[in-house]
Amino acid sequence: MPLKKLFLTLILFSTYLCYGQEQRFDIRTVAFYNVENLFDTINDPKKFDDDRTPKGKDKYTSKIYWDKIDKLSRVLSEIGAEKSGASPAIIGVCEVENLKVLKDLVASEKLKDKQYSIIHYDSPDERGIDVALLYQAKYFKPLNYKKHELLLFKDNGFRDYTRDQLVVSGLLDDDLIHVIVNHWPSRSGGEAKSRPFRIAAAKLNGKIIDSLQAVHRNAKIITMGDLNDDPDSPSIKKTLNAKEKKTDVEESVGLYNPMANMHRRGMNTLAYRDQLNLFDQIIISQPLLEHEDESYRFYKAGIYNKKYLITQKGPFKNYPFRSYHYSTYQGGYSDHFPVYIYLLKERN
């Protein structure tokens, strides 16, 4: 056979194999995004949102608000699409003010055709920010959901109000999946001083996971969020006991953290004062590592850090391209990169 004809035959055969593999599996994306203070422009007297108003320090106008909505919707519409061919089936978000901003987000030009539904509770957080879950109903059907309050107290005995942990159980196609959305206490006052608050958050997360595993044998659990700690921090590595290696994960009940290896290799989801951190994480339970053809399993994890999400010049070059720097609108997206995982199932 002539060399040119042989080369063409090999190309066609390779294309056929790749096409066959794509058709053989269903891929669903599960993502998390800290959207950096998505507030509306209305001053709520019950919240400390004075800065995010047209007359506030940030001069937060409707024009800025809708620009931010448009930018965030672009990001959410694109995460995971290059492999799954669709926007994420499930998206956890944090730093949202209320249900209104979420409704505006899912009704935006780039997301409205996805028909995302919303699960949201108002939390007692002092800054007035909440966590929430967005999902495409054609892929995911919630069966039940609830919030879990994190009770924290300062040295003086007064309560430190923070975000709830949101738990949603439902069917991803036909698979029962449990999702926990988190935004753990910040490092305000220093990492060491604030560490007990994040350990308390990890303990609450662990109790939620234990309760799910007690009711559902081989529960498929995804806990995700801005944890304000790195994968090797005590709250995650010791309290939550999330493992870096799949082989170290205890059967049925153990947790695997695919972000741990990324962190060890120097990858990050945010940067502050030249300190790189990977606070945004998605951690999964061991049954999602099982290779069962008829149900979803973990395929791979990633950080969505496309070029347009990165500051290209200046003193913050290579940092996430954020919305605000102090009180000046930068026209960016968020001070965090989104994270995601792919779940894979053989198609019948």
Side-chain angles (χ1 to χ4, degrees), residues 328-346:
T328 303
Y329 185 61
Q330 303 293 303
Y333 297 80
S334 172
D335 53 351
H336 290 244
F337 294 133
V339 291
Y340 64 93
I341 61 171
Y342 289 122
L343 299 179
L344 191 76
K345 178 169 70 172
E346 187 168 359

Side-chain angles (χ1 to χ4, degrees), residues 251-267:
E251 187 176 351
S252 298
V253 296
L255 297 175
Y256 170 61
N257 189 353
M259 326 309 275
N261 181 262
M262 297 181 196
H263 178 250
R264 191 165 49 79
R265 289 186 285 128
M267 300 176 71

Side-chain angles (χ1 to χ4, degrees), residues 144-156:
N144 54 70
Y145 45 88
K146 65 181 296 186
K147 64 175 182 177
H148 292 259
E149 198 171 36
L150 177 59
L151 293 173
L152 302 175
F153 294 92
K154 303 175 185 178
D155 293 339
N156 58 13

Side-chain angles (χ1 to χ4, degrees), residues 118-147:
I118 303 165
I119 297 175
H120 164 267
Y121 290 99
D122 286 314
S123 75
D125 180 75
E126 293 175 350
R127 287 175 53 202
I129 54 176
D130 310 323
V131 300
L133 190 82
L134 312 178
Y135 63 93
Q136 293 193 64
K138 62 183 175 181
Y139 301 129
F140 184 72
K141 294 178 176 57
L143 299 176
N144 54 70
Y145 45 88
K146 65 181 296 186
K147 64 175 182 177

Side-chain angles (χ1 to χ4, degrees), residues 20-72:
Q21 287 175 343
E22 288 173 358
Q23 293 300 303
R24 189 180 169 194
F25 294 97
D26 286 323
I27 301 177
R28 300 284 179 256
T29 307
V30 178
F32 174 81
Y33 197 14
N34 179 328
V35 294
E36 190 199 356
N37 295 319
L38 180 56
F39 282 75
D40 60 27
T41 60
I42 302 166
N43 186 18
D44 186 340
K46 297 179 181 179
K47 297 180 179 179
F48 297 106
D49 65 345
D50 294 10
D51 292 345
R52 288 294 168 102
T53 58
K55 295 182 179 180
K57 184 179 67 174
D58 294 340
K59 297 180 177 60
Y60 190 65
T61 63
S62 292
K63 183 179 179 181
I64 291 174
Y65 171 72
W66 288 110
D67 186 58
K68 184 171 176 66
I69 288 285
D70 184 63
K71 285 184 163 67
L72 292 175

Side-chain angles (χ1 to χ4, degrees), residues 46 62 133 144 197 213 230 234 268 283 310 327 329 332 338 347:
K46 297 179 181 179
S62 292
L133 190 82
N144 54 70
F197 285 175
Q213 291 173 334
D230 288 312
N268 68 293
I283 299 169
I310 303 172
S327 297
Y329 185 61
R347 184 174 297 170

